[in-house]
Amino acid sequence: MKKFVCTVCEYVYDPAVGDPDSGIQPGTDFADLPEDWTCPICGVGKDMFEPVD
């Protein structure tokens, strides 16, 4: 599973960690995040994230 980085604040979503503060379990792929999920740091939507190479 790929990591994704927020293009606004550079927060990295790591599927191995998930986003426990938002109820996202470890092992949740970025594509499987709810459409209304937002960056836990700056609050932008999934459309502002890019895959990490």
Side-chain angles (χ1 to χ4, degrees), residues 5-24:
V5 64
C6 177
T7 59
V8 176
C9 72
E10 299 186 355
Y11 165 81
V12 176
Y13 175 77
D14 182 350
V17 176
D19 181 11
D21 293 339
S22 297
I24 306 299

Side-chain angles (χ1 to χ4, degrees), residues 33-47:
L33 291 172
E35 285 305 312
D36 62 349
W37 180 83
T38 57
C39 176
I41 304 298
C42 70
V44 299
K46 287 174 63 176
D47 60 326

